[in-house]
Amino acid sequence: MRLNDQTTSALLLVTPALLGLLLFILLPFATALVLAFTDLRLGSPLAVNFVGTDQFLSLFNDPDFIRALLNNLLFAAVVVPLQTILALALALLLNRGLPGTVAFRTLFFMPVVFPMSLVAVIWSLIYAPGENGMMNAFLQWASFGLWEAKDFLRDPLLAMPAIMLLSIWQGVGFQMVILLAGLQGIPQTLYEAAALDGAGRWRQLLHITLPQLRNPLIFVMLVTTILAFRLFDQVQIMTRGGPENATTTVVYETVQAAFARQQVALASAMTVVFFLLVLSITWLQRRFTHHEREVA
Amino acid sequence: MRPGAGSILLRYLLLAGLAIFFIAPLLMMFLGSLKADHRVLLESGSLTAFLPHELSLQNYSDVFRRTDFLRFFFNSLFITGCVVICGLVVNALAAYAFARLQWRGRDLIFNLVLALMILPFEAIAVPLFYGASILGLRDTYAVQILPFIANAFAIYLFYSFFIGIPKELEEAARIDGASTLRIFFSIIAPNAKPVFASVAILTFLTWWGSYLWPTMVTIGPTVRPLPVAIASFYTLPPLQWGDILAFGVMMVSPVLLLFVIFQRWFVAGVASSAMKG
């Protein structure tokens, strides 16, 4: 029987992958769901108890965690639109195939291959306090000397915007590439027809380009929103959540709880909240994406 | 829509302005890595930051003197290499079974695998850390490699590609009695180079730069990879910016080298992740 033949070899082929997914994704995730309702601490000799929703209640009474949630929301609310608009502008500028566009595309994409830890270190130098710091010097020059040198990463008002800027610098090339691919998929005939009807540049952008880019745009916004909620590396390296919790994030608080304070149960509860956030963002994206072809 | 000369000029001006924003940090890193430590910060506030003068390789030799760079580099290379190579084999074979073989439960299991794509690593980091701790596996290579070989998204990318390869290619070999593995390696794999390249590049980028997990599980420098190493080198007194930037240049150079050689594949690989959803 050919069918049986294939079942045997199929099982051989999928077993390593399924075993990995089961052991290292499904099992840990299920563990987090269970641990979130206990009072487990790493290395504690006390018996573990089920405490119901106590961990979640204490989370939402914890000003640090609330601040972390708000910071993630703020980060998403600022970075997602800014980065998407910048990526769209770059893609539109590069889409015409002017001489030299390949070099520009290479340059804009280059930060994407940089590890975030390195980006954080480089930008710490850019944000150096005092007039020697590159960002301070630039702002002083741009404001005709009005800008007073600031210590960006230790200023509660400036630390978050500083982290936002370097995140955009690192991530925008990724979105640009996806939008460029989307732009290249728009049939040229649509523009020709619109031009015949006398539609100008802006009307073509509004009525052809943007609607045709709908799915790629929603996709890049989804990815950036999820990245905004995964924010960690920059914060850990540059500010450690400070000053005054100005840059703390959900993942940063989770790692602090699990790693520094050994509160595995509390960290698991944070993980569950994080997962629910990601789930709802993805659900929103699915709702807004036009499905022309279904997967599988 | 033929852009006029004015609009082309405007386009280039905009591009050039944006290019400065992207290139300034990169230039500062490369040139700063070649300047004396005390000059890096001093010059970063003026255009001299971008002038190549009085350059030396002193910082590079200082990095090797002050820290065990080669060990960290090897750790990153070993961990990333293992995840990439094992991942390609394991995920491609599974995807082939989902895309081409007939077996009971296939569609159900495949949909479960697709559902796992929604779980970002941060959603499993805590229990995984807990598991690694109680099993005494912290500070090992295994804990940085094994959990990341099987990858739902890689399976999905392979699946999407394999499903588009014409069935006729395999039929002849199958009639000749070739085994499934043989068909996979002699027919499917050679026809699927682009997806292997995309998955390899995506996986490599992800793990070369991975910071969260190694910062949780590594304790000493023995199995510490580069991203954790640069973060700790950055806080190692005395603060020597030239050395830190030289460390950074050496850390990113393999990726940049690959990027320059395989740029087309990088862009295609990253863009292919957009097919998700």
Side-chain angles (χ1 to χ4, degrees):
Chain A
M1 269 290 282
R2 208 170 124 188
L3 194 90
N4 279 336
D5 258 13
Q6 292 210 331
T7 304
T8 321
S9 38
L11 286 180
L12 283 173
L13 296 186
V14 292
T15 302
L18 290 185
L19 206 62
L21 294 177
L22 195 70
L23 275 180
F24 301 118
I25 297 184
L26 212 54
L27 184 68
F29 181 65
T31 311
L33 291 181
V34 174
L35 289 183
F37 296 93
T38 68
D39 60 358
L40 177 73
R41 294 179 75 113
L42 194 58
S44 159
L46 299 173
V48 177
N49 302 305
F50 271 88
V51 295
T53 53
D54 282 8
Q55 300 288 5
F56 292 95
L57 290 178
S58 65
L59 268 192
F60 287 101
N61 286 313
D62 173 6
D64 292 354
F65 189 71
I66 300 292
R67 184 64 201 265
L69 269 176
L70 290 175
N71 283 342
N72 279 122
L73 282 172
L74 176 73
F75 188 94
V78 175
V79 169
V80 174
L82 272 185
Q83 194 172 327
T84 309
I85 290 170
L86 181 60
L88 183 63
L90 292 174
L92 287 171
L93 282 170
L94 293 181
N95 190 36
R96 280 297 134 64
L98 294 176
T101 44
V102 174
F104 281 112
R105 193 192 66 184
T106 306
L107 175 64
F108 299 149
F109 187 77
M110 201 174 277
V112 176
V113 308
F114 273 61
M116 186 47 97
S117 53
L118 173 58
V119 173
V121 169
I122 300 173
W123 281 75
S124 298
L125 174 58
I126 294 179
Y127 291 135
E131 307 197 344
N132 286 323
M134 183 179 281
M135 187 52 76
N136 274 319
F138 171 74
L139 290 172
Q140 227 152 34
W141 171 79
S143 67
F144 303 103
L146 286 175
W147 176 265
E148 281 176 39
K150 295 271 180 14
D151 189 351
F152 292 93
L153 300 177
R154 287 191 191 79
D155 185 319
L157 279 180
L158 292 175
M160 190 48 122
I163 286 182
M164 288 170 175
L165 183 67
L166 75 94
S167 307
I168 293 176
W169 179 83
Q170 200 259 354
V172 72
F174 168 76
Q175 299 188 317
M176 175 196 75
V177 163
I178 288 164
L179 294 179
L180 256 176
L183 280 175
Q184 272 145 21
I186 303 178
Q188 206 53 42
T189 47
L190 288 179
Y191 292 106
E192 287 158 11
L196 278 181
D197 289 344
R201 239 3 127 54
W202 283 109
R203 296 196 47 158
Q204 294 185 12
L205 178 68
L206 276 181
H207 296 291
I208 300 174
T209 311
L210 290 183
Q212 290 280 327
L213 275 186
R214 181 190 164 104
N215 284 358
L217 274 173
I218 292 175
F219 172 77
V220 295
M221 290 201 288
L222 164 88
V223 171
T224 321
T225 313
I226 289 180
L227 280 176
F229 281 94
R230 297 171 64 184
L231 185 62
F232 174 78
D233 299 5
Q234 305 94 303
V235 166
Q236 162 85 11
I237 292 172
M238 299 175 84
T239 61
R240 306 213 171 252
E244 299 164 26
N245 276 339
T247 59
T248 192
T249 67
V250 171
V251 175
Y252 184 78
E253 290 294 325
T254 309
V255 172
Q256 287 301 305
F259 186 72
R261 301 196 302 265
Q262 322 273 302
Q263 295 167 318
V264 174
L266 187 70
S268 298
M270 293 179 180
T271 297
V272 172
V273 173
F274 168 79
F275 171 69
L276 291 176
L277 281 168
V278 171
L279 191 68
S280 28
I281 298 161
T282 311
W283 179 78
L284 276 178
Q285 186 241 3
R286 290 276 149 90
R287 281 213 50 168
F288 285 111
T289 307
H290 286 164
H291 275 293
E292 276 130 34
R293 55 207 158 89
E294 287 292 328
V295 173
Chain B
M1 280 226 307
R2 280 165 285 105
S7 125
I8 289 180
L9 185 67
L10 183 70
R11 227 169 248 277
Y12 275 119
L13 281 177
L14 277 171
L15 281 172
L18 287 162
I20 292 173
F21 169 60
F22 283 91
I23 212 168
L26 301 174
L27 255 177
M28 186 194 67
M29 175 183 76
F30 283 111
L31 289 175
S33 76
L34 297 165
K35 291 178 180 177
D37 285 304
H38 69 277
R39 280 170 55 211
V40 176
L41 180 57
L42 206 64
E43 292 180 1
S44 76
S46 69
L47 291 178
T48 46
F50 308 113
L51 287 182
H53 63 122
E54 291 177 55
L55 305 181
S56 87
L57 291 172
Q58 182 60 42
N59 296 325
Y60 289 82
S61 70
D62 286 349
V63 170
F64 291 108
R65 192 176 45 78
R66 290 178 64 205
T67 178
D68 200 353
F69 182 85
L70 286 179
R71 167 171 286 276
F72 305 139
F73 192 88
F74 168 79
N75 289 344
S76 270
L77 203 63
F78 181 68
I79 293 165
T80 312
C82 287
V83 175
V84 170
I85 293 167
C86 301
L88 285 181
V89 176
V90 164
N91 297 314
L93 285 177
Y96 178 66
F98 286 123
R100 275 295 198 268
L101 303 182
Q102 305 293 330
W103 46 290
R104 195 184 284 252
R106 180 187 72 172
D107 295 345
L108 176 73
I109 296 179
F110 184 60
N111 280 315
L112 285 177
V113 170
L114 289 185
L116 288 182
M117 288 201 304
I118 198 181
L119 281 174
F121 174 69
E122 288 79 355
I124 49 172
V126 170
L128 214 52
F129 170 72
Y130 176 63
S133 302
I134 54 175
L135 294 176
L137 286 173
R138 284 182 68 186
D139 227 16
T140 59
Y141 286 123
V143 81
Q144 298 183 75
I145 296 170
L146 288 179
F148 309 109
I149 292 174
N151 183 299
F153 185 50
I155 294 176
Y156 167 71
L157 287 180
F158 279 120
Y159 174 90
S160 315
F161 196 93
F162 293 161
I163 207 92
I165 297 178
K167 277 206 173 97
E168 293 75 41
L169 285 178
E170 298 157 68
E171 293 300 337
R174 184 147 287 153
I175 290 163
D176 289 347
S179 72
T180 308
L181 268 186
R182 210 193 136 99
I183 293 176
F184 178 82
F185 283 109
S186 63
I187 296 172
I188 299 295
N191 280 296
K193 280 179 194 147
V195 69
F196 278 93
S198 294
V199 173
I201 285 166
L202 277 177
T203 317
F204 177 79
L205 275 185
T206 310
W207 294 106
W208 191 261
S210 156
Y211 177 75
L212 170 64
W213 181 243
T215 202
M216 288 175 89
V217 292
T218 61
I219 302 163
T222 322
V223 296
R224 179 187 289 166
L226 287 168
V228 181
I230 197 174
S232 79
F233 187 55
Y234 162 61
T235 55
L236 177 78
L239 183 65
Q240 306 266 23
W241 273 114
D243 297 356
I244 295 168
L245 296 180
F247 191 116
V249 170
M250 289 194 282
M251 168 182 180
V252 78
S253 47
V255 200
L256 280 185
L257 193 72
L258 288 177
F259 172 60
V260 170
I261 302 172
F262 300 110
Q263 199 194 142
R264 182 192 286 264
W265 295 106
F266 265 72
V267 173
V270 169
S272 73
S273 66
M275 301 184 321
K276 177 179 174 182

